[in-house]
Amino acid sequence: DAGVIQSPRHEVTEMGQEVTLRCKPISGHDYLFWYRQTMMRGLELLIYFNNNVPIDDSGMPEDRFSAKMPNASFSTLKIQPSEPRDSAVYFCASSLGGASPGANVLTFGAGSRLTVL
Amino acid sequence: EDKVVQSPLSLVVHEGDTVTLNCSYEVTNFRSLLWYKQEKKAPTFLFMLTSSGIEKKSGRLSSILDKKELFSILNITATQTGDSAVYLCAVRTSGTYKYIFGTGTRLKVLA
């Protein structure tokens, strides 16, 4: 398997523009997570899905952020309108899920580095 | 509120030294703890710990969990420059599949 695939790897945009980040989880993984990483706050969970259904979106900062998972192999995180404080690395991760402890190890994608000017 | 705290925040050592990284947590209904290594890219998995007192070991790295005192340590012996990275720990609670991460320990190993 190619692992968790994210795109774009880098995005530079201007304040007010819409940003869409994309993620393809590992095939067969039932759980998908979106994390944001900054120097000040570390890795913060934004939202996670189980079988394409959002389970916990309590970490989504505000209404400018939205996430979807239309099918088992694709998810998007959208920011509209973007602001400079959204600049961060956004990671997508997936896990198999299930009762076995090892099934809940997170595998991360390479991340999308977002810079909002 | 569930919390994971790592210490020290950063550490500089010389090759060959042994280091101990700490992860303490305050969560309701602990389920499991993960350690990750992050270089310039994605975090990569090191260990999963679920039971107290059982050491996990991989080469020069080892980790142990103390569920009574609510902490875990990650030991690295005979450090090498390639061990330079941020080490992250994350805790999962029962009834959820999400992990809460600490802010990490930045380790720099000098040649």
Side-chain angles (χ1 to χ4, degrees):
Chain A
D1 201 322
V4 177
I5 308 295
Q6 290 187 246
S7 65
R9 293 293 308 277
H10 301 275
E11 173 96 7
V12 180
T13 190
E14 292 192 347
M15 185 172 65
Q17 296 298 305
E18 177 179 295
V19 173
T20 299
L21 308 178
R22 299 172 177 79
C23 176
K24 177 178 165 53
I26 291 173
S27 177
H29 279 195
D30 289 339
Y31 287 83
L32 183 141
F33 304 80
W34 283 102
Y35 281 88
R36 176 172 70 175
Q37 187 175 41
T38 59
M39 288 290 292
M40 291 296 294
R41 300 173 69 91
L43 264 171
E44 302 174 279
L45 177 66
L46 301 177
I47 185 171
Y48 81 95
F49 295 83
N50 174 216
N51 291 325
N52 317 337
V53 176
I55 303 299
D56 186 340
D57 65 356
S58 59
M60 295 286 262
E62 49 200 89
D63 291 345
R64 298 184 298 106
F65 284 69
S66 62
K68 293 183 180 178
M69 192 165 185
N71 58 62
S73 59
F74 183 66
S75 176
T76 59
L77 178 68
K78 188 174 291 188
I79 308 172
Q80 166 65 11
S82 58
E83 296 182 3
R85 61 191 167 124
D86 302 330
S87 298
V89 180
Y90 291 80
F91 285 103
C92 176
S94 68
S95 68
L96 196 56
S100 163
N104 295 296
V105 170
L106 302 178
T107 301
F108 284 83
S112 294
R113 180 176 295 277
L114 173 65
T115 303
V116 183
L117 303 174
Chain B
E1 185 183 333
D2 294 337
K3 191 165 59 172
V4 178
V5 178
Q6 292 186 245
S7 63
L9 289 180
S10 65
L11 193 54
V12 180
V13 300
H14 289 91
E15 271 192 320
D17 289 349
T18 293
V19 297
T20 299
L21 310 183
N22 302 288
C23 175
S24 63
Y25 58 90
E26 293 176 24
V27 301
T28 50
N29 299 320
F30 171 90
R31 183 71 185 262
S32 59
L33 184 147
L34 303 182
W35 281 99
Y36 282 84
K37 176 183 182 182
Q38 185 177 24
E39 296 171 269
K40 291 193 183 298
K41 42 191 189 307
T44 53
F45 172 71
L46 294 174
F47 298 113
M48 169 179 269
L49 299 135
T50 57
S51 302
S52 232
I54 298 175
E55 185 183 48
K56 292 288 183 81
K57 197 169 170 63
S58 176
R60 296 176 296 102
L61 278 66
S62 64
S63 183
I64 197 159
L65 174 67
D66 186 328
K67 286 168 77 171
K68 183 179 175 187
E69 300 297 330
L70 309 182
F71 76 91
S72 173
I73 59 172
L74 175 68
N75 277 320
I76 309 175
T77 59
T79 51
Q80 302 171 356
T81 55
D83 295 326
S84 296
V86 174
Y87 290 84
L88 299 162
C89 79
V91 172
R92 176 187 161 207
T93 57
S94 293
T96 176
Y97 283 84
K98 68 182 184 184
Y99 281 92
I100 301 165
F101 279 80
T103 49
T105 293
R106 184 174 298 274
L107 173 66
K108 187 171 178 64
V109 182
L110 302 175

